[in-house]
Amino acid sequence: MKILVVNAGSSSLKYQLIDMDGEVMIVKGQVERIGIEGGHLKQTVQIPGTEKKVIEIFQPIADHVEATQMMLTALQDEKKGAIKSVVEIGAVGHRVLHGGTKFSASVVINDAVKDAIRECIPLGPLHNPANLMGIEACEKVMPTTPQVAVFDTAFHQTMPPKAYMYGVPKKYHDQYGVRRYGFHGTSHRYVSKRVCEFLGISPLGQRIIVCHLGNGSSLSAVVDGKCVDTSMGLTPLDGLLMGTRCGTLDPAVVQFIANNENMTVDEVLNMMNKKSGLLGISGLSSDMRDIDAAADKYNGDAMLARDMLVYGIKKYIGSYAAAMGGVDMIVFTAGIGENNGALRERIMDNMEFLGAKLDHAKNAACADGHATECVISTEDSKVKVLVIPTNEEIMIARDTLELVTK
Ligand code: ADP
C-alpha cells in the first residue's frame, strides 16, 4: 500500500508518498506560500531503479484545498509523477501538532476527532488550524480515502503528573489544561524504539535520553519505551536554547521586558519564539553551521551562544539521568544531533562521571551529512551513546497503515 504523509503548516504543505512494501519513500514534495504571494510547488520523485524526476511550479495558490489539488495533480503527472490515479493512495497520515490530553496515540480521523483537534486550538493556535485545513482539504479531494492523525504530543502522554504539572494553582490545569505536553513526540518515539531495534535489545529495562537537536530542540527521558519527561512544555518554547527560541527562563522576565520596552505580552512572546535563541544571542543566525563558523573565528557572541546551548543540554542530560536513577543510552538525532559531531563532542565532554565515554573517531566519522545509525561511545563505556537519524514520516506512515488495515 502507498501512504501519503502530509504535514500542513499555516502557509505550507509538505508531503511524502511512501510505498509501504519495503517502506520506500518514492515522492517528497512541498507546496509553499499558500495564500500569499509567490506560491510554489516542488516535487521530487525517486522510484528505485528509475531516474529522479523533479516538478517545479510557480503560481498563486489560494488555499489548502488548492494546494492539495496541486499536490495530487503533481503526484499523477503523466511524465514526472509517481501514480496513475489517486486510488493508488491507500490512506493519508497527517501530522497534527497538539492533541492535548485527548490523544495518547494515533487515530483514524472522523468528525469527533476533528472536533477534538479543534478543541485543542487554544493550545496550538498556529499549527492546529493549519493541520485541520490540511485534513479537510484532503477529505474534500479524496473523500473515500481513510485519513489518520498522528500527534506530536501523543508520545509524551505517559509522563507522570510530577513531571507534567507546573507549580501554579492547580485550577489552571483543571480549567484550562495548563501543563507540560511536550512536542517532537513522533521523533522521540521513533528514535527511542529504533535504537533498541538497532542494538537488538528490548526497550524494557532501558533508560534512554533522546536528544532531538534541530531548529527546534527537545530532550526526552524514556524508560521501558515510555516517555517519563521531556523538555518542551505547554508550548514548544520551553526547554533548550533553540534556533530562534529562548527556552527555559524565569517567567518574570516577560513582565520585566514588557514594562521596560513598552511591549505587550504577545510581543514579548513573539520575540522569545522568533528572535531569541542562537539568533538572539549571536545576532548572526539561527543556523548552527553559521554559529560554528563564527565561533571558530572567535566571535564572542557566537561562542557564547554555542556555550549556552551545550551547557543547557548537559544540564538536561544530568537531570534526566537523576530522574531515571541512571541512564543506559544517550541518543542524538535531527539536523544538529545527526550532523554536528563537534557539538556532540562538546556535549559529551567530561561526562565520564556518568559512565559515558565518547569514541572520538567514531563520533567524527558520523557527521556532516554522513549520519547513519551508529554507536559513538567506546566499547567500555557503561552508557551507550548513539546517533540515530530520525524519521517522523515513516512513523506516521506505519501508524496510518496499522490503523487502516486493522
Ligand atoms: P527542523 O527542526 O527545522 O526540522 P533540522 O532538524 O533540519 O531542523 O535542523 C536544523 C539544524 O541542523 C541547523 O541548525 C543546521 O545547522 C543543522 N544541520 C542540518 N544539516 C546539517 C549538516 N549537514 N551539517 C551540520 N549541521 C547541519
Side-chain angles (χ1 to χ4, degrees):
M1 185 190 284
K2 291 188 184 78
I3 304 258
L4 181 65
V5 175
V6 172
N7 183 358
S10 54
S11 66
S12 71
L13 193 134
K14 294 187 187 135
Y15 61 97
Q16 287 191 10
L17 187 67
I18 300 177
D19 188 345
M20 295 309 281
D21 297 331
E23 295 193 337
V24 197
M25 177 183 76
I26 52 176
V27 182
K28 186 175 184 171
Q30 56 189 61
V31 188
E32 284 179 319
R33 304 187 66 83
I34 302 169
I36 48 178
E37 208 185 318
H40 174 221
L41 173 144
K42 186 171 181 185
Q43 172 182 285
T44 307
V45 173
Q46 177 78 80
I47 299 168
T50 68
E51 224 172 278
K52 191 157 127 180
K53 294 175 283 192
V54 180
I55 295 181
E56 209 162 1
I57 300 166
F58 294 88
Q59 69 174 58
I61 306 159
D63 54 26
H64 283 71
V65 176
E66 205 172 312
T68 308
Q69 267 152 354
M70 272 179 87
M71 164 183 77
L72 289 179
T73 306
L75 284 168
Q76 296 173 89
D77 189 273
E78 219 173 300
K79 289 203 180 100
K80 296 182 170 176
I83 52 172
K84 289 202 170 59
S85 150
V86 278
V87 296
E88 287 179 49
I89 301 171
V92 186
H94 294 268
R95 179 179 184 182
V96 181
L97 181 85
H98 222 305
T101 53
K102 296 181 198 296
F103 300 102
S104 54
S106 305
V107 285
V108 176
I109 297 171
N110 55 26
D111 285 346
V113 169
K114 281 194 286 176
D115 285 346
I117 297 173
R118 210 166 279 121
E119 280 165 33
C120 292
I121 288 178
L123 297 169
L126 297 178
H127 293 82
N128 274 33
N131 301 150
L132 269 172
M133 279 195 274
I135 291 167
E136 284 174 344
C138 285
E139 284 178 337
K140 197 159 178 188
V141 294
M142 291 179 267
T144 55
T145 311
Q147 320 264 338
V148 165
V150 179
F151 299 90
D152 247 34
T153 48
F155 181 62
H156 304 303
Q157 278 297 302
T158 47
M159 281 189 290
K162 66 181 176 188
Y164 71 67
M165 287 299 286
Y166 291 137
V168 290
K170 197 162 159 286
K171 65 174 182 186
Y172 298 117
H173 166 266
D174 301 346
Q175 220 169 317
Y176 307 115
V178 173
R179 50 161 282 180
R180 178 185 306 286
Y181 289 96
F183 300 88
H184 295 140
T186 311
S187 174
H188 287 287
R189 176 158 63 106
Y190 173 82
V191 170
S192 56
K193 189 163 177 260
R194 178 64 206 149
V195 72
C196 295
E197 285 166 5
F198 176 66
L199 294 172
I201 56 174
S202 159
L204 292 179
Q206 296 300 320
R207 296 160 299 184
I208 308 174
I209 297 175
V210 178
C211 309
H212 176 112
L213 309 176
N215 260 326
S217 299
S218 66
L219 262 67
S220 68
V222 179
V223 179
D224 297 334
K226 294 198 168 71
C227 177
V228 295
D229 207 347
T230 192
S231 60
M232 282 179 167
L234 175 77
T235 75
L237 185 55
D238 200 1
L240 299 169
L241 188 86
M242 306 180 214
T244 61
R245 297 190 190 115
C246 59
T248 303
L249 44 66
D250 178 347
V253 172
V254 176
Q255 183 202 36
F256 193 89
I257 293 180
N259 287 349
N260 281 289
E261 292 277 314
N262 204 12
M263 285 161 83
T264 64
V265 169
D266 280 6
E267 284 168 345
V268 176
L269 282 177
N270 195 42
M271 172 275 287
M272 289 178 164
N273 267 303
K274 301 203 175 130
K275 300 202 169 114
S276 301
L278 295 174
L279 174 67
I281 296 295
S282 71
L284 291 172
S285 168
S286 61
D287 193 300
M288 196 56 212
R289 285 168 285 202
D290 299 333
I291 302 297
D292 273 333
D296 291 346
K297 287 188 189 133
Y298 300 101
N299 175 303
D301 289 340
M303 288 165 78
L304 173 63
R306 186 165 69 184
D307 284 350
M308 288 170 68
L309 175 66
V310 169
Y311 184 62
I313 298 168
K314 271 179 173 289
K315 285 209 294 189
Y316 265 105
I317 291 176
S319 65
Y320 285 171
M324 295 190 291
V327 53
D328 302 299
M329 291 181 230
I330 298 171
V331 194
F332 289 94
T333 196
I336 298 173
E338 291 166 24
N339 293 295
N340 196 325
L343 197 86
R344 290 193 303 257
E345 189 83 40
R346 287 190 162 85
I347 295 166
M348 296 314 298
D349 182 42
N350 240 336
M351 288 282 213
E352 284 82 5
F353 78 95
L354 206 67
K357 235 162 95 184
L358 215 57
D359 181 317
H360 306 294
K362 280 189 194 157
N363 179 52
C366 184
D368 299 333
H370 299 291
T372 47
E373 297 178 330
C374 53
V375 178
I376 55 169
S377 48
T378 58
E379 291 283 329
D380 64 344
S381 178
K382 215 162 89 321
V383 177
K384 276 199 166 27
V385 187
L386 299 101
V387 173
I388 298 283
T390 192
N391 194 340
E392 293 164 88
E393 290 77 15
I394 208 69
M395 208 73 218
I396 294 173
R398 282 180 192 163
D399 282 7
T400 304
L401 180 70
E402 197 188 317
L403 283 166
V404 300
T405 51
K406 188 149 89 167

